Amino acid sequence: MLRFGAVSYLNTKPLVETLDERLMNWGTLRLDLPSRLASDLANGELDVALIPSVEYFRNQADYEIVSNAAIACRGPVWSVRLLSRVPIPEIQTVALDEGSRTSAAMAQVLLSEMHSLRPKTVPFPIGSEAADLDADAVLMIGDRAMHPPHGTYQEIWDLGDRWCRWTELPFVFAMWVARREVTEDPKQLERINETLNASRDDGVQRFESIAIREAASQGLTNEDLHRYFAENLHFYMGPGERSGLALFRKKAEAIGLVPPLSVAPGPNA
């Protein structure tokens, strides 16, 4: 039985809509926080996992992307925003949402590339309020970004929009990867790929029913959530997404956010 893990976030719902039933008799699925999934995959407690792109970079020498199902965007993403109380070029401190290391790296790359900024970073703990933070700017993801707090902000960036405009490439937030020993059997790799892609295809066909089921708990209308799935997110890893992923890795490495690929830590690091 192969052990699969996926993040337990709203943007993952279309990728795992029918995965449990498709894994019946040959695999198990566990939903958890991104950091736990990344650690368990690295430690050999999971075989395949949907992990943030930054976590993939940190063990890239030992991992292989096993599906073209992914969480990406090709424009405004809505659920990842930088809210600044000062003009962007004046940012000296930024509070980073602890819910996503990839979005935190994305924000730092964009500030560095677009404005040559390397602001001091402080945590934005889950459960805390932006108003309580003494920082020039605040990175928000997920529900907090989709329902931003009232306050005086001079600039608000949708980071998906900023990345895609600046690079003219998509951005990949997370992808399915496996440890390389899991992919040594070509037949097993093909089965993993086909299963993950089929589950994604099922979910893409069920945006409306997923939105009806999940919207109320997220404080969204059915229409808003359907639009989020259909217009803000992209669930396919094509050549453009791979190019965007490679550029993100290069830029994150350049400012010390991920290790050089040649010395990336092994799975037990």
Side-chain angles (χ1 to χ4, degrees), residues 5 12 14 26 58 73 124 139 151-152 179 224:
T12 309
W26 73 281
R58 288 172 179 159
C73 72
F124 181 9
L139 171 70
T152 303
R179 291 179 290 107
D224 281 343

CSV table of all heavy atoms in Angstrom, one decimal, residues 5 12 14 26 58 73 124 139 151-152 179 224:
chain,number,residue,atom,x,y,z
A,5,GLY,N,-0.1,11.7,0.7
A,5,GLY,CA,-0.5,12.8,1.6
A,5,GLY,C,-0.8,14.1,0.8
A,5,GLY,O,-0.2,14.3,-0.2
A,12,THR,N,-7.0,22.6,-2.5
A,12,THR,CA,-6.6,21.2,-2.8
A,12,THR,C,-7.9,20.4,-3.2
A,12,THR,O,-7.7,19.3,-3.8
A,12,THR,CB,-5.9,20.5,-1.6
A,12,THR,OG1,-4.9,21.4,-1.2
A,12,THR,CG2,-5.4,19.2,-2.0
A,14,PRO,N,-10.3,20.2,-5.4
A,14,PRO,CA,-10.5,19.5,-6.8
A,14,PRO,C,-9.4,18.4,-7.1
A,14,PRO,O,-9.7,17.5,-7.9
A,14,PRO,CB,-10.3,20.7,-7.7
A,14,PRO,CG,-10.7,21.9,-6.9
A,14,PRO,CD,-10.1,21.6,-5.6
A,26,TRP,N,-4.9,-0.2,-3.0
A,26,TRP,CA,-3.4,-0.1,-3.3
A,26,TRP,C,-2.8,1.1,-2.7
A,26,TRP,O,-1.5,1.3,-2.8
A,26,TRP,CB,-3.2,-0.2,-4.8
A,26,TRP,CG,-3.5,1.0,-5.6
A,26,TRP,CD1,-4.8,1.4,-6.0
A,26,TRP,CD2,-2.7,2.1,-6.1
A,26,TRP,NE1,-4.8,2.6,-6.7
A,26,TRP,CE2,-3.5,3.0,-6.8
A,26,TRP,CE3,-1.3,2.3,-6.0
A,26,TRP,CZ2,-3.0,4.1,-7.4
A,26,TRP,CZ3,-0.8,3.4,-6.6
A,26,TRP,CH2,-1.6,4.3,-7.3
A,58,ARG,N,13.8,22.1,-1.6
A,58,ARG,CA,14.7,21.7,-0.5
A,58,ARG,C,15.2,20.3,-0.5
A,58,ARG,O,16.2,19.9,0.1
A,58,ARG,CB,14.1,22.1,0.8
A,58,ARG,CG,14.0,23.6,1.0
A,58,ARG,CD,13.2,24.0,2.2
A,58,ARG,NE,13.2,25.5,2.3
A,58,ARG,CZ,12.4,26.2,3.0
A,58,ARG,NH1,11.4,25.7,3.6
A,58,ARG,NH2,12.5,27.5,3.0
A,73,CYS,N,-1.3,29.2,-10.7
A,73,CYS,CA,-2.1,30.3,-11.2
A,73,CYS,C,-1.5,30.9,-12.4
A,73,CYS,O,-0.3,30.8,-12.6
A,73,CYS,CB,-2.3,31.3,-10.1
A,73,CYS,SG,-0.9,32.3,-9.7
A,124,PHE,N,3.7,36.0,11.2
A,124,PHE,CA,2.3,36.3,11.3
A,124,PHE,C,1.6,35.1,11.7
A,124,PHE,O,1.1,34.3,10.9
A,124,PHE,CB,1.8,36.9,10.0
A,124,PHE,CG,0.3,37.3,10.0
A,124,PHE,CD1,-0.4,37.4,11.2
A,124,PHE,CD2,-0.3,37.6,8.8
A,124,PHE,CE1,-1.8,37.8,11.2
A,124,PHE,CE2,-1.7,38.0,8.8
A,124,PHE,CZ,-2.4,38.1,9.9
A,139,LEU,N,1.8,39.7,4.8
A,139,LEU,CA,1.5,38.6,3.8
A,139,LEU,C,0.3,37.8,4.4
A,139,LEU,O,0.4,37.3,5.5
A,139,LEU,CB,2.7,37.7,3.5
A,139,LEU,CG,2.3,36.5,2.6
A,139,LEU,CD1,2.0,36.9,1.2
A,139,LEU,CD2,3.5,35.5,2.7
A,151,GLY,N,-8.7,48.2,7.4
A,151,GLY,CA,-7.5,49.0,7.9
A,151,GLY,C,-7.0,49.9,6.8
A,151,GLY,O,-7.5,50.0,5.7
A,152,THR,N,-6.0,50.6,7.2
A,152,THR,CA,-5.4,51.6,6.2
A,152,THR,C,-4.2,51.0,5.5
A,152,THR,O,-3.1,50.8,6.1
A,152,THR,CB,-4.9,52.9,7.0
A,152,THR,OG1,-6.1,53.4,7.7
A,152,THR,CG2,-4.4,53.9,6.0
A,179,ARG,N,9.4,10.2,-3.5
A,179,ARG,CA,10.8,9.9,-3.3
A,179,ARG,C,11.2,9.0,-4.5
A,179,ARG,O,10.5,8.2,-5.0
A,179,ARG,CB,11.0,9.2,-2.0
A,179,ARG,CG,10.8,10.1,-0.8
A,179,ARG,CD,10.9,9.4,0.5
A,179,ARG,NE,9.9,8.4,0.8
A,179,ARG,CZ,10.0,7.1,0.7
A,179,ARG,NH1,11.1,6.6,0.4
A,179,ARG,NH2,8.9,6.4,0.9
A,224,ASP,N,-18.8,32.7,-5.8
A,224,ASP,CA,-17.5,33.1,-5.6
A,224,ASP,C,-16.5,32.0,-5.5
A,224,ASP,O,-15.4,32.0,-6.1
A,224,ASP,CB,-17.4,33.9,-4.3
A,224,ASP,CG,-17.9,35.3,-4.4
A,224,ASP,OD1,-18.0,35.8,-5.5
A,224,ASP,OD2,-18.1,36.0,-3.3
